[in-house]
Amino acid sequence: MIYPVILCAGVGKRMKSVFPKVMHCVLDKPMLWWVLRSFRGLIDNEPIVVVGKNKDLISQYFAGEKINYVVQSEPLGTAHALLCAYKSLKSFSEEDYFLVMPGDMPLIKQETIKNLCKMSEQNNDITFITCKVDDPKGYGRILRDKDNNFLRIVEEKDAKSDELNIKEVNVGIYLIKIALLKLLYNIENNNAQGEYYLTDLLELALKMGYKIGTMEIFDQKEVLGVNSQKDLLEAQNEAKRTIIDVHLDNGVQIFDINSTWIGPEVCISSGAKIMPASVIYGKSKIGSSTIGPFSNVENSTIGDNCNVIYSVIRNSTIGNSVNIGPFSHIREETVVHDNIRIGNFVELKKTEIRNNSKVSHLSYLGDTSVGSNVNVGAGTITCNYDGFDKHRTTIEDDVFVGSDSILVAPVKLSKGSMVAAGSVITRDVPEDSLGIGRASQVNKAGWVKIFRSTKAKKKDD
Amino acid sequence: MIYPVILCAGVGKRMKSVFPKVMHCVLDKPMLWWVLRSFRGLIDNEPIVVVGKNKDLISQYFAGEKINYVVQSEPLGTAHALLCAYKSLKSFSEEDYFLVMPGDMPLIKQETIKNLCKMSEQNNDITFITCKVDDPKGYGRILRDKDNNFLRIVEEKDAKSDELNIKEVNVGIYLIKIALLKLLYNIENNNAQGEYYLTDLLELALKMGYKIGTMEIFDQKEVLGVNSQKDLLEAQNEAKRTIIDVHLDNGVQIFDINSTWIGPEVCISSGAKIMPASVIYGKSKIGSSTIGPFSNVENSTIGDNCNVIYSVIRNSTIGNSVNIGPFSHIREETVVHDNIRIGNFVELKKTEIRNNSKVSHLSYLGDTSVGSNVNVGAGTITCNYDGFDKHRTTIEDDVFVGSDSILVAPVKLSKGSMVAAGSVITRDVPEDSLGIGRASQVNKAGWVKIFRSTKAKKKDD
Amino acid sequence: MIYPVILCAGVGKRMKSVFPKVMHCVLDKPMLWWVLRSFRGLIDNEPIVVVGKNKDLISQYFAGEKINYVVQSEPLGTAHALLCAYKSLKSFSEEDYFLVMPGDMPLIKQETIKNLCKMSEQNNDITFITCKVDDPKGYGRILRDKDNNFLRIVEEKDAKSDELNIKEVNVGIYLIKIALLKLLYNIENNNAQGEYYLTDLLELALKMGYKIGTMEIFDQKEVLGVNSQKDLLEAQNEAKRTIIDVHLDNGVQIFDINSTWIGPEVCISSGAKIMPASVIYGKSKIGSSTIGPFSNVENSTIGDNCNVIYSVIRNSTIGNSVNIGPFSHIREETVVHDNIRIGNFVELKKTEIRNNSKVSHLSYLGDTSVGSNVNVGAGTITCNYDGFDKHRTTIEDDVFVGSDSILVAPVKLSKGSMVAAGSVITRDVPEDSLGIGRASQVNKAGWVKIFRSTKAKKKDD
C-alpha cells in the first residue's frame, strides 16, 4: 500500500507572488494538478497534500477530488511537513509506504512514478530518485563508491570542492517505508533556518543501517523544480512542447508551435488543423476541424468540418459543418447543431440552435431555443433579463427574424413565422404570421437644409 | 522539350491524415503548389501530375491551371507511377525529357530546377540531384570513385556499414531522357512491398551503359521531403522565414518573425509595418501601411497610410489613409476608397464606400453603395436579404445616417438627406430630407417603483 | 559640464525606407528615444540632436521635450555633423565635454553612459567606447601595444590582414573635450565618399599629442548599430527580452515570451498574469490582474483583480475587479471604476462608469456618465453626435436601460428610472419613471404564407 504525500506548504518567496506557489499554472493547470496526475491510476489511496496558509485556495480549486489536506501551520521544514502527514494517518501498516513528492515539480512523468512504486518490491526502507543535472547548485549531491553503490547524500553546505562537482543529485522524491517515519521525531533543527529537513531522515536511516536505494532517471527536465517565474516559464514551454508533439504524431496539423497552447486534457482528431494563435484548454474535444487563427476554445466539444476563427468558445458543444467567426463569443451551455453559420460579432449564451440555421451578424441570443432552417437577422437581440429574472425565447423551425429585432422574453416565434425588421416583439407570433412592431416612416422634405443652417448659425455666434 | 512529372499518388501514411499528403499546406498553399511553382516560367509544357485516389481534391484546388492528371489506380511504386505518366503521353520525341519530382518537396528552389534543366544540354540519359544531408537514413547513398565520379546508388537495405555513413544521397529529382522510359517495363517488383521502384531504373540504365550524371546541391533544407506533420512544420517555418527575409531586405519593417505569416504571392511596399500576429495570404498587395497587430488580410489590396488592427479583410480593395478596426470584418467584393474610417465591430460585404466617409461602430453594410462625406451612425444595419432575395442599398453623398437605423433594401438615401436615429427606413429619402420612422417617447412616472415592488413581492412568495 | 550630441542626420539607405532611420521603433519607441533615455537623469543639459531633412518628423514626435535641434543640411559626414553641433553652442567652457552618440544604437545602457561620463574626471581629451565584437566588419579596429595601452584606431580600408582580425572596435560613442572641437576645421574629406569623418579627429588629436583614452564594454549587443530591418528586428528582440526578464524577476507571470510585447515605460505589479499575445505599451500601469490572451493596452491604468481578454484599451483608467472582453474596445479618456463588467462587442469613449454597473453586450457609449448599479442592456447606443456637435448622456445610479435602446444626447436618465427595450429616448426620463418609445406589436395572421407564395411565384416566372 502506497500513500502519496505532496509537500505544498512552502512559501515560494522567489516567485515574488502572493499566490501559492503550487497554484501557479503550467498551461491551464496548477503545478499541483500535474503532480497529482503523475500517480493517477497507479495509486488508489487518497493523496495527502500538506498545505500551509494557502489551504483554502488549493482546496477550493480541487473541490470534488478526494484529497486529504494536512495543514502544517508553521513552515518548519520538509521533515516537519512529513511528520504532520504521518500524524494524520489513521490506520496503516508499518510495511506501507509514503510516496513523498514536492508540489512544484510539474514535469514529472507517470512512467517515472510507476517505476519508483515498483521499487517497493525490492523492499528498500527508502528509495529516492536521483538525476544528473547540468547545474547541481543547491541540491544534495549523491556520493557513490567505486562500484557505483550509493554511499550517502552530501548537502551543498557540507560538500568539499570535488564533491561540489558531482552532477548527480537528490531531486526530492522518496518512497519511504512507514516504519521509518517515527525517526522523524529524532531529527533536529540546529541549522541556520531552524527548520527540520527531510534529507536528515536519510542520513539518520543510513547511520542506523536501514536499506536505502536510489533510482536514477535521465531526463533532467522532468525534475525541474519551479522556484521562480523563469523556472515556471521553462516548465510551461516544456509541457507545451510535449503535448504538441503528441498531437503532431497523431496526425494533427499544427501550423505554429510558438503560438499554440493546448492543455493536457484536450483531445484532437487526426486531420484537424490548428492555426496560429490558438488556445485550446480544459476538457475540450476537437474533431477534424480548423481552429484558429486567433481562437480560444475552453471545455468545449467541436465536431468535424468546422471553422472557428478569431472566436472564443467556452463550455459549449458545436456539431459538424459549423462556421464560427470571426469575432464570435459562444458562452456557457450553448449547443450548436449541424450545418450552421455563427457570424461576426455574435454572442450566444445558454442557447440551442438546430440544423441549417444562421445567426450571421451583430446579435445576442441568451436563454434561447432556435429551431432548424431559421434565419436570425443582423442586430437581433433577445431581452432575456428584466433586471430581476431571466426568461427564455423560443424560435421554432423555419422562422425568419428580420434585422435589428428585439425579442422581449418570455416570447415564442412559432413555426414559419416572420418578424419585420426593426420590430420590438413582446408577444408570441403565431405560425406563418408576421409580427411587426415599428413606427411608419415619414419623410420631412427640406428638413435637413434648415437643420444645417441653424447649426451653422450657432457656430457663427 | 521537357515534361514535368510530379509524383503525388503516395498515400503518406505517416501524416496520419485522411487528407492527401501533397494537399497539406505550407503557409497558404498546398505542397504541390510549391512544387509546380519551382518550374513555372521555365517549362511551358503542361505538367503531368500522377495522382491516386486523391485526384478529385487535387484537381478541384488547381481548377483553371493546365495540368494533365494521370491516375495511378493502385499504389505500385514510383516506377509504376512514372510508367503511367509515360503511357499517357500522346506525342513526344525520344530526345525529350521527363523532369521527375516528388510532390512533397515544397522547398525546392526554382534556381535548382533551372540548373537541372540546363543539364539536358550535356546530353546525359539521366541526370539526378544529390545532396549531402545530416541524416541520410532511408535514402539511397551515392557511391563515387576516387576521382569523385558517380559510380552508382546503393539503397539503404543493400548498403554495407561504411556505405551507410555516406551523407550524399539521391533526393528523388530526375531529368530522364524519354527514350529510356521503355526500360520501366523491365523493372521488377520482387521486394518486400511488391512495388516497382524508380531507383531500379537508374541501376538498369547504368548496367546497360547509359550515361548518368548527378547534380549536387548544397542546401539540404531545399530537398526536405515532407513525410510527417513534424516535417511539414519544419517546411512551414523554413518557407515562412525565407519569405520574411525577402520583405525585410525590401525595407518592410516586421516586428516579430514568430507571429507573422506572409504567403508566397503577397507583395508589400517598403515602408510598410507588419505588427505582431499578422497573417497576410493570397494575392494580397500592401502599400506603405501598418498591418496588425492581430490582423488577417487575404486576397486584398491595401493602399498607403492605412492602419488595420485586430481585423479581418478578405477579397477586398482598400484605398489610402483608411483606418480599420479594431474588430472589423471586411468581406468579399468590398471597395473602400480614401480617407475613411471603418470602426469597431463593423462588417462590410459587397459594399463600396467613397472618400471621406465613416462607418465607425457596430454596423453591418451589405450590398451597399456609400457616397462621399457620409456618416453612418453606430448600429446601422442594412436589411439586404428578405429570406429569398438580396437587394441593394444606396447612400448618396453627404448623407447622415442616425444611429441604430435600419435600412430595408432596396432603398435609397439621396444626397444630403438624414435619417433620424432609431428609424426603420423602408422607402427612399429624397434629397435634403429627413427620414424618420420611430415611435414617440412616453414617460410613465413612478412606473418603476410599482414594477420593482411587484417583482420583490413575487420573490417573497 | 557635459553636452550630449546625438547624430541623427544619416540617411540610413540600408533600411530601404522613406522614414528617418532613428524614428524606426524598437517596441513602441523610436530608436532615438532609447538613446536619449541612456543619459536621462545623468545629464541635465539639453541634448543637441543633429538632424537632416528628417527634422520635422523627429521634432514633432519629441514635441514637449527639451531638445536643441541642429540641422546638418547636407550629409557631409559625422565630423561635419559634430561641427554643426559645435557651432550651435552659444556659451560653453573649453573644459566642457561633448558626449557624442549615434542615434541608431537603441540598446546602449544607462550604466555604460554613466561610466563614460565619470571618465571626464580622468581628464582625457577624448575617451571613447570600445567593444570586442564577433563581426568587426566595417568598424575601426583598436590597436594596442603589448601592455594593452591604446595606440590608435585603424580603419578597415587601411587595415593589414592581421589587423583585420582584431575584434576590438570603436563603436562610435565619444566623450570629447570641447577645446578639441576646433580641430574639426582641419579635417579633410579626400575620401571616396567626400565626407568628413569623426574618426579622423581622433587620429589628428593623437598626432598632436592629446590624451586619448578608451573604455571597453563587454556586452556587444549593447552597441548594436541598426542599419537594416534585420538589425532592427534583432534590437527589438533584445530590448523585449530584457524588459520581460525584469518583470519576471519582479514576480509577474508571463506565459509566453515570444508573443508578449511590453514597452519600456510600463509598470506591472507582482502577481499579474500576462497571457499570450499581449501588447502593453505607453505609460501603462497594470495591477495584480490578468491581461490577455490577445489584448492590447496602451497608456492605460488597470487596477487589481481585473481580466482583460481579446480587448483593446487605450488612454483609459480601469479600477479593480473589472472584467473586460472578449472583444471590447475602450477608447480615450474612459474611466471605469470597480466591480464592473464590460462585455463583448462594447465600445466606450470618453465615458465614466461607477461601481457595480454592467455594459455586457454590443453597445456603444460615447461621452457618457454612468452611475453605480446600472445595467446597460445589449445593443444600447448613445447618439452623441448629430453631425455637427458632440453631446453628453447621463445615466444616474440604479438605472436599467432595456436592450437595443437609443439614447439621443443630450439626455439624462434619472436615478432609478428604466428604459423599455427598443426605445428611442430623446427626452430626459425622471426618477423611478419608465421611458418608453416604441411602436406596439401587431401580428398579421397568415401574412408569411402569402409572402412566400408570391416570392416563389416570382422565381418561377
Side-chain angles (χ1 to χ4, degrees):
Chain A
M1 198 92 114
I2 296 173
Y3 296 89
V5 179
I6 322 294
L7 307 181
C8 300
V11 177
K13 272 181 201 167
R14 285 178 50 212
M15 301 300 284
K16 296 204 180 157
S17 166
V18 289
F19 219 56
K21 184 162 87 167
V22 297
M23 292 304 287
H24 279 78
C25 282
V26 168
L27 296 168
D28 58 336
K29 303 292 177 191
M31 286 199 264
L32 177 55
W33 182 92
W34 295 85
V35 175
L36 291 170
R37 187 177 77 156
S38 72
F39 52 79
R40 192 167 295 159
L42 293 175
I43 300 175
D44 289 334
N45 289 319
E46 198 172 75
I48 299 168
V49 172
V50 183
V51 293
K53 290 180 182 166
N54 49 27
K55 187 190 164 184
D56 287 354
L57 264 167
I58 296 176
S59 61
Q60 226 168 295
Y61 181 91
F62 291 100
E65 295 206 28
K66 282 192 180 168
I67 291 176
N68 175 10
Y69 293 99
V70 170
V71 177
Q72 181 189 21
S73 45
E74 277 180 283
L76 298 177
T78 44
H80 177 255
L82 197 57
L83 192 56
C84 296
Y86 175 54
K87 285 182 188 168
S88 82
L89 268 194
K90 272 155 203 162
S91 72
F92 56 90
S93 143
E94 296 250 311
E95 296 300 301
D96 287 344
Y97 286 90
F98 262 18
L99 165 66
V100 182
M101 303 175 74
D104 61 2
M105 207 172 270
L107 301 179
I108 190 74
K109 287 181 196 145
Q110 192 152 34
E111 194 61 24
T112 299
I113 300 304
K114 196 171 172 182
N115 291 337
L116 182 62
C117 291
K118 272 191 204 145
M119 300 298 265
S120 65
E121 294 158 18
Q122 295 193 5
N123 215 16
N124 282 333
D125 294 297
I126 300 180
T127 313
F128 66 97
I129 294 180
T130 72
C131 185
K132 294 198 181 78
V133 297
D134 291 338
D135 180 9
K137 209 183 154 193
Y139 288 97
R141 313 299 202 275
I142 305 303
L143 264 52
R144 296 186 178 276
D145 66 16
K146 59 181 197 285
D147 298 326
N148 207 33
N149 295 314
F150 170 67
L151 286 177
R152 60 186 187 91
I153 300 175
V154 59
E155 293 306 314
E156 183 154 282
K157 65 177 184 341
D158 307 321
K160 295 170 204 157
S161 67
D162 59 330
E163 290 169 347
L164 282 173
N165 290 331
I166 294 170
K167 298 286 189 191
E168 188 184 8
V169 300
N170 168 21
V171 304
I173 302 180
Y174 310 86
L175 190 68
I176 307 178
K177 203 173 276 182
I178 288 186
L180 263 76
L181 291 178
K182 46 184 177 278
L183 295 180
L184 287 168
Y185 289 105
N186 304 334
I187 289 176
E188 292 181 4
N189 68 339
N190 41 12
N191 53 49
Q193 267 68 39
E195 293 190 6
Y196 300 87
Y197 292 127
L198 186 45
T199 47
D200 288 353
L201 178 68
L202 269 84
E203 212 175 321
L204 194 62
L206 207 59
K207 273 185 200 158
M208 295 175 71
Y210 285 100
K211 196 179 157 198
I212 298 188
T214 60
M215 184 183 104
E216 188 179 352
I217 62 167
F218 300 95
D219 179 3
Q220 61 173 303
K221 283 177 213 145
E222 226 187 301
V223 292
L224 170 73
V226 171
N227 288 308
S228 68
Q229 299 291 348
K230 278 180 191 163
D231 292 343
L232 183 60
L233 193 57
E234 197 184 327
Q236 187 97 270
N237 283 334
E238 191 57 34
K240 170 183 154 153
R241 183 70 202 230
T242 304
I243 288 172
I244 285 179
D245 277 355
V246 170
H247 291 295
L248 286 170
D249 287 344
N250 286 345
V252 176
Q253 190 179 358
I254 292 176
F255 276 76
D256 179 51
I257 284 182
N258 288 312
S259 65
T260 302
W261 292 266
I262 300 175
E265 297 185 310
V266 172
C267 297
I268 310 183
S269 298
S270 100
K273 294 184 194 173
I274 310 301
M275 308 301 281
S278 293
V279 180
I280 309 177
Y281 276 169
K283 287 186 194 288
S284 292
K285 222 176 143 179
I286 311 293
S288 179
S289 286
T290 301
I291 307 299
F294 306 106
S295 288
N296 191 331
V297 176
E298 253 180 84
N299 279 315
S300 296
T301 298
I302 294 175
D304 294 326
N305 205 20
C306 296
N307 287 286
V308 179
I309 79 159
Y310 278 74
S311 289
V312 176
I313 300 178
R314 289 181 175 163
N315 305 307
S316 292
T317 302
I318 310 297
N320 301 314
S321 301
V322 177
N323 285 304
I324 295 177
F327 312 118
S328 279
H329 183 201
I330 298 191
R331 291 166 57 192
E332 66 271 21
E333 298 175 42
T334 290
V335 179
V336 174
H337 292 261
D338 299 344
N339 196 24
I340 285 166
R341 157 124 206 85
I342 306 299
N344 38 195
F345 318 121
V346 170
E347 175 188 5
L348 303 179
K349 191 211 75 175
K350 293 191 182 173
T351 286
E352 178 164 16
I353 302 183
R354 300 206 162 272
N355 296 354
N356 308 316
S357 290
K358 287 183 195 169
V359 188
S360 300
H361 339 249
L362 290 157
S363 293
Y364 167 53
L365 302 186
D367 306 302
T368 301
S369 303
V370 177
S372 53
N373 301 310
V374 168
N375 190 327
V376 175
T380 298
I381 284 175
T382 56
C383 305
N384 53 324
Y385 182 54
D386 61 14
F388 294 86
D389 302 300
K390 302 251 167 173
H391 304 284
R392 287 200 71 80
T393 299
T394 303
I395 304 176
E396 294 189 343
D397 296 350
D398 306 319
V399 168
F400 184 91
V401 181
S403 297
D404 220 9
S405 295
I406 304 154
L407 309 177
V408 184
V411 75
K412 181 161 103 174
L413 308 182
S414 291
K415 190 169 177 342
S417 64
M418 281 182 86
V419 168
S423 296
V424 182
I425 297 299
T426 53
R427 289 174 297 118
D428 294 352
V429 180
E431 242 181 83
D432 292 329
S433 299
L434 173 73
I436 181 164
R438 67 186 188 201
S440 304
Q441 177 184 344
V442 173
N443 288 336
K444 302 195 173 176
W447 187 94
V448 179
K449 271 195 179 158
I450 298 161
F451 174 74
R452 274 196 200 113
S453 63
T454 314
K455 280 283 176 181
K457 219 172 159 187
K458 264 192 199 163
K459 295 248 159 172
D460 290 347
D461 293 348
Chain B
M1 199 89 116
I2 296 174
Y3 297 89
V5 180
I6 323 293
L7 307 182
C8 301
V11 177
K13 273 182 201 167
R14 285 178 51 211
M15 300 301 283
K16 295 206 181 156
S17 166
V18 287
F19 219 55
K21 183 162 89 166
V22 297
M23 291 305 286
H24 278 77
C25 281
V26 168
L27 296 167
D28 58 336
K29 303 292 177 190
M31 288 199 264
L32 177 54
W33 182 94
W34 295 85
V35 175
L36 291 170
R37 188 178 75 155
S38 71
F39 52 79
R40 192 168 295 160
L42 293 175
I43 300 174
D44 290 333
N45 288 320
E46 197 173 77
I48 299 167
V49 172
V50 183
V51 292
K53 290 180 183 167
N54 49 28
K55 186 190 166 184
D56 287 354
L57 265 165
I58 297 176
S59 60
Q60 226 167 297
Y61 181 92
F62 290 99
E65 296 205 29
K66 281 191 180 169
I67 292 175
N68 174 10
Y69 294 98
V70 170
V71 177
Q72 181 189 22
S73 45
E74 276 180 283
L76 297 177
T78 44
H80 178 255
L82 196 59
L83 192 56
C84 295
Y86 175 54
K87 284 182 189 169
S88 82
L89 270 194
K90 271 155 205 163
S91 72
F92 56 90
S93 144
E94 296 250 311
E95 294 302 300
D96 288 343
Y97 286 88
F98 263 18
L99 165 65
V100 182
M101 302 176 74
D104 61 3
M105 208 172 270
L107 302 179
I108 191 74
K109 288 180 196 145
Q110 190 152 35
E111 194 62 24
T112 299
I113 299 304
K114 197 173 172 180
N115 291 337
L116 181 62
C117 289
K118 272 192 205 145
M119 299 299 263
S120 66
E121 295 158 17
Q122 295 193 5
N123 215 17
N124 282 332
D125 294 298
I126 301 180
T127 313
F128 66 98
I129 293 180
T130 73
C131 185
K132 294 198 179 80
V133 297
D134 291 338
D135 180 9
K137 208 184 155 191
Y139 288 96
R141 313 300 201 274
I142 305 302
L143 263 54
R144 295 186 178 277
D145 66 17
K146 60 181 195 288
D147 298 325
N148 207 33
N149 296 312
F150 169 68
L151 286 177
R152 60 185 187 93
I153 300 176
V154 59
E155 293 307 314
E156 184 156 280
K157 63 177 188 340
D158 307 321
K160 295 169 202 158
S161 66
D162 60 331
E163 290 169 346
L164 282 173
N165 290 331
I166 294 170
K167 299 285 188 190
E168 188 185 8
V169 301
N170 168 19
V171 305
I173 301 179
Y174 310 85
L175 191 68
I176 306 177
K177 203 171 277 181
I178 288 185
L180 263 76
L181 291 177
K182 46 184 176 278
L183 295 180
L184 287 168
Y185 289 105
N186 303 336
I187 289 175
E188 291 182 4
N189 69 339
N190 41 13
N191 54 49
Q193 267 68 38
E195 293 189 5
Y196 300 87
Y197 292 126
L198 185 45
T199 46
D200 288 353
L201 177 68
L202 268 84
E203 212 177 320
L204 194 60
L206 207 60
K207 273 186 199 157
M208 295 174 69
Y210 284 101
K211 196 178 155 200
I212 297 187
T214 61
M215 183 184 104
E216 188 179 353
I217 63 169
F218 299 94
D219 179 3
Q220 60 174 303
K221 283 176 212 145
E222 225 187 301
V223 292
L224 171 72
V226 171
N227 288 307
S228 69
Q229 299 290 348
K230 279 180 190 164
D231 292 342
L232 182 60
L233 192 57
E234 197 183 328
Q236 187 99 269
N237 284 334
E238 193 56 35
K240 167 183 155 154
R241 184 70 202 229
T242 304
I243 288 173
I244 285 179
D245 276 355
V246 171
H247 292 294
L248 285 171
D249 287 344
N250 286 346
V252 176
Q253 189 179 359
I254 292 175
F255 276 77
D256 179 53
I257 285 183
N258 288 314
S259 64
T260 302
W261 291 266
I262 300 174
E265 296 185 310
V266 172
C267 298
I268 309 183
S269 297
S270 101
K273 295 183 194 173
I274 310 301
M275 309 301 282
S278 293
V279 180
I280 308 177
Y281 276 168
K283 287 186 193 288
S284 291
K285 220 176 144 178
I286 311 292
S288 179
S289 286
T290 302
I291 307 298
F294 306 107
S295 287
N296 191 331
V297 176
E298 253 180 81
N299 278 317
S300 296
T301 298
I302 293 176
D304 294 326
N305 205 20
C306 296
N307 287 286
V308 179
I309 79 159
Y310 279 75
S311 289
V312 176
I313 300 178
R314 290 181 175 162
N315 305 309
S316 293
T317 302
I318 311 296
N320 301 313
S321 301
V322 178
N323 285 303
I324 295 177
F327 311 118
S328 279
H329 184 200
I330 298 190
R331 292 166 55 192
E332 67 270 23
E333 296 174 44
T334 290
V335 179
V336 174
H337 292 261
D338 298 345
N339 196 25
I340 285 166
R341 156 123 208 86
I342 306 298
N344 38 196
F345 318 121
V346 170
E347 175 187 6
L348 303 179
K349 190 211 76 174
K350 293 189 181 173
T351 286
E352 178 164 16
I353 301 183
R354 300 207 162 270
N355 295 355
N356 308 314
S357 291
K358 288 183 196 169
V359 188
S360 299
H361 341 247
L362 289 156
S363 293
Y364 167 52
L365 302 186
D367 306 302
T368 300
S369 303
V370 177
S372 54
N373 301 308
V374 168
N375 189 328
V376 176
T380 298
I381 284 174
T382 54
C383 306
N384 54 325
Y385 182 54
D386 60 13
F388 294 86
D389 301 301
K390 303 250 167 173
H391 304 285
R392 287 200 71 81
T393 298
T394 303
I395 304 177
E396 294 189 344
D397 294 351
D398 306 319
V399 168
F400 184 91
V401 181
S403 298
D404 220 10
S405 295
I406 304 154
L407 309 176
V408 183
V411 74
K412 179 160 102 174
L413 310 181
S414 291
K415 191 170 177 339
S417 64
M418 282 183 85
V419 169
S423 297
V424 181
I425 297 300
T426 54
R427 287 174 298 119
D428 294 353
V429 180
E431 241 181 85
D432 293 328
S433 299
L434 173 73
I436 181 163
R438 66 189 188 200
S440 304
Q441 179 184 342
V442 172
N443 287 337
K444 303 195 173 176
W447 187 93
V448 178
K449 271 196 178 156
I450 298 162
F451 174 73
R452 275 197 199 113
S453 62
T454 315
K455 279 286 177 179
K457 219 173 156 185
K458 263 192 197 160
K459 294 246 158 173
D460 291 347
D461 292 348
Chain C
M1 198 91 117
I2 297 174
Y3 297 88
V5 180
I6 324 293
L7 307 181
C8 301
V11 177
K13 273 183 201 166
R14 284 178 49 212
M15 301 300 285
K16 294 202 181 159
S17 165
V18 288
F19 219 54
K21 183 163 87 166
V22 297
M23 292 304 287
H24 279 78
C25 281
V26 168
L27 295 167
D28 57 337
K29 304 292 177 192
M31 286 199 264
L32 177 55
W33 182 94
W34 295 85
V35 175
L36 291 170
R37 187 177 76 154
S38 71
F39 52 80
R40 192 168 294 160
L42 293 174
I43 301 174
D44 289 333
N45 290 320
E46 198 172 79
I48 300 167
V49 172
V50 183
V51 293
K53 291 182 181 164
N54 49 29
K55 188 192 164 183
D56 287 354
L57 264 166
I58 297 177
S59 61
Q60 224 168 295
Y61 182 92
F62 291 99
E65 297 205 28
K66 282 191 179 169
I67 291 176
N68 175 10
Y69 294 99
V70 171
V71 177
Q72 180 189 23
S73 44
E74 277 180 283
L76 296 177
T78 44
H80 177 256
L82 197 58
L83 192 57
C84 295
Y86 175 55
K87 286 184 190 167
S88 82
L89 269 194
K90 273 155 203 164
S91 73
F92 57 89
S93 145
E94 296 249 310
E95 295 302 298
D96 289 342
Y97 287 89
F98 263 18
L99 166 64
V100 182
M101 303 175 72
D104 61 1
M105 209 174 270
L107 302 179
I108 189 75
K109 288 181 196 145
Q110 191 152 35
E111 194 60 25
T112 299
I113 299 305
K114 198 173 172 180
N115 292 336
L116 182 62
C117 290
K118 272 192 204 144
M119 299 299 264
S120 65
E121 294 158 18
Q122 295 193 4
N123 215 17
N124 282 332
D125 295 296
I126 300 180
T127 313
F128 65 97
I129 294 182
T130 72
C131 184
K132 294 197 179 80
V133 298
D134 290 339
D135 179 10
K137 209 184 155 193
Y139 288 97
R141 313 302 203 272
I142 306 303
L143 264 52
R144 296 186 178 277
D145 67 16
K146 60 181 194 285
D147 298 325
N148 209 33
N149 296 312
F150 170 69
L151 286 177
R152 60 185 188 92
I153 300 175
V154 59
E155 293 307 312
E156 183 155 284
K157 65 180 184 341
D158 308 320
K160 295 169 202 157
S161 68
D162 59 330
E163 291 169 345
L164 282 172
N165 290 331
I166 294 170
K167 299 286 187 189
E168 189 184 7
V169 300
N170 168 20
V171 305
I173 301 180
Y174 310 85
L175 190 69
I176 306 177
K177 204 172 276 181
I178 288 186
L180 264 77
L181 292 177
K182 46 183 176 276
L183 296 180
L184 288 168
Y185 289 104
N186 303 334
I187 289 176
E188 292 181 2
N189 69 338
N190 43 11
N191 52 49
Q193 267 68 39
E195 293 190 5
Y196 301 86
Y197 292 127
L198 185 45
T199 46
D200 288 352
L201 177 67
L202 269 84
E203 212 176 319
L204 194 61
L206 207 60
K207 273 185 199 159
M208 296 173 70
Y210 286 100
K211 196 179 155 199
I212 297 188
T214 60
M215 184 184 106
E216 188 180 353
I217 62 168
F218 300 95
D219 179 3
Q220 61 173 303
K221 282 175 212 147
E222 226 187 301
V223 292
L224 170 72
V226 171
N227 288 307
S228 68
Q229 300 289 349
K230 279 180 191 164
D231 292 341
L232 182 59
L233 192 57
E234 197 182 327
Q236 186 99 270
N237 283 335
E238 192 57 33
K240 169 181 154 154
R241 184 68 202 229
T242 304
I243 288 173
I244 284 180
D245 277 354
V246 171
H247 292 295
L248 285 171
D249 286 345
N250 286 344
V252 176
Q253 190 179 357
I254 292 175
F255 276 78
D256 179 51
I257 285 182
N258 288 315
S259 64
T260 302
W261 291 266
I262 300 175
E265 296 185 310
V266 173
C267 298
I268 310 183
S269 298
S270 99
K273 295 182 193 173
I274 310 302
M275 309 302 282
S278 293
V279 179
I280 308 178
Y281 275 168
K283 287 186 194 288
S284 292
K285 222 177 143 178
I286 311 292
S288 180
S289 285
T290 301
I291 307 299
F294 306 105
S295 287
N296 191 330
V297 176
E298 251 180 85
N299 278 315
S300 296
T301 298
I302 294 176
D304 295 326
N305 204 20
C306 296
N307 287 286
V308 178
I309 78 161
Y310 277 75
S311 289
V312 175
I313 300 179
R314 289 181 175 163
N315 305 307
S316 293
T317 302
I318 311 296
N320 302 314
S321 301
V322 177
N323 285 303
I324 295 176
F327 312 116
S328 278
H329 183 201
I330 298 190
R331 290 165 57 191
E332 65 270 22
E333 296 174 43
T334 289
V335 179
V336 175
H337 292 262
D338 299 344
N339 195 24
I340 285 166
R341 158 124 205 85
I342 306 300
N344 39 197
F345 318 121
V346 170
E347 175 188 6
L348 304 179
K349 190 210 75 175
K350 293 190 182 174
T351 286
E352 178 164 17
I353 302 182
R354 300 206 163 271
N355 296 353
N356 308 315
S357 290
K358 287 181 195 170
V359 188
S360 300
H361 341 247
L362 289 159
S363 292
Y364 167 52
L365 302 187
D367 306 302
T368 300
S369 303
V370 177
S372 54
N373 301 309
V374 168
N375 190 327
V376 176
T380 297
I381 284 173
T382 55
C383 306
N384 54 324
Y385 182 54
D386 62 12
F388 295 86
D389 302 300
K390 303 251 166 172
H391 304 284
R392 287 201 71 81
T393 299
T394 304
I395 304 177
E396 295 189 343
D397 296 350
D398 307 319
V399 168
F400 184 92
V401 181
S403 298
D404 220 10
S405 294
I406 303 154
L407 309 176
V408 183
V411 74
K412 179 161 102 173
L413 310 181
S414 291
K415 190 172 176 342
S417 65
M418 281 182 85
V419 169
S423 296
V424 181
I425 298 299
T426 54
R427 289 174 298 119
D428 294 352
V429 180
E431 242 182 84
D432 293 329
S433 298
L434 173 72
I436 181 164
R438 66 187 188 200
S440 305
Q441 178 184 343
V442 173
N443 287 336
K444 303 195 174 176
W447 187 93
V448 179
K449 270 195 180 157
I450 298 161
F451 174 73
R452 274 197 199 113
S453 62
T454 314
K455 278 286 177 181
K457 219 171 157 187
K458 263 192 197 164
K459 295 248 157 171
D460 290 347
D461 293 349

